[in-house]
Amino acid sequence: MTTDLHERVAAALQQVTDPCSAASRTPMSIVDLGLLEDAQLVEGHLRVTLCVTAPNCLMIGTIMHASRVALGELDGGDSSEVTSENTVVWEPDGL
């Protein structure tokens, strides 16, 4: 992931709030939680990978949808794809 691309993707995803943190009255963005795993731009197609805080995260669909909406506002890509990585273990150190 190039630094410029990472910064642009992170800035766009900064507006995506983790629903569980919001429910506990301490809203945090998915970027601040360290959920942004990877971002690649391949022939105008943006591919973003997020990790989940737990393998059984019930809110990942909501997070991915909000991420797609936020990335749709990002210039430079013709299309975007957001996937989740369940094999990466999220650690609080990513905060």
Side-chain angles (χ1 to χ4, degrees):
M1 167 171 24
T2 65
T3 302
D4 180 52
L5 178 62
H6 181 268
E7 289 174 1
R8 290 176 39 224
V9 168
L13 294 179
Q14 190 68 38
Q15 65 183 321
V16 178
T17 301
D18 170 61
C20 294
S21 69
S24 66
R25 298 183 186 186
T26 54
M28 293 184 70
S29 79
I30 62 171
V31 174
D32 292 340
L33 280 172
L35 302 185
L36 175 58
E37 186 66 29
D38 190 33
Q40 298 177 6
L41 188 60
V42 180
E43 297 178 6
H45 181 73
L46 179 62
R47 294 182 183 152
V48 174
T49 304
L50 304 174
C51 67
V52 294
T53 56
N56 59 349
C57 175
L58 299 176
M59 300 308 295
I60 191 61
T62 300
I63 293 169
M64 290 173 60
H65 174 74
S67 298
R68 283 188 207 98
V69 170
L71 292 170
E73 300 170 4
L74 189 65
D75 293 332
D78 297 330
S79 62
S80 62
E81 167 187 9
V82 179
T83 60
S84 64
E85 180 59 62
N86 294 330
T87 59
V88 175
V89 178
W90 177 83
E91 295 287 336
D93 296 343
L95 291 169

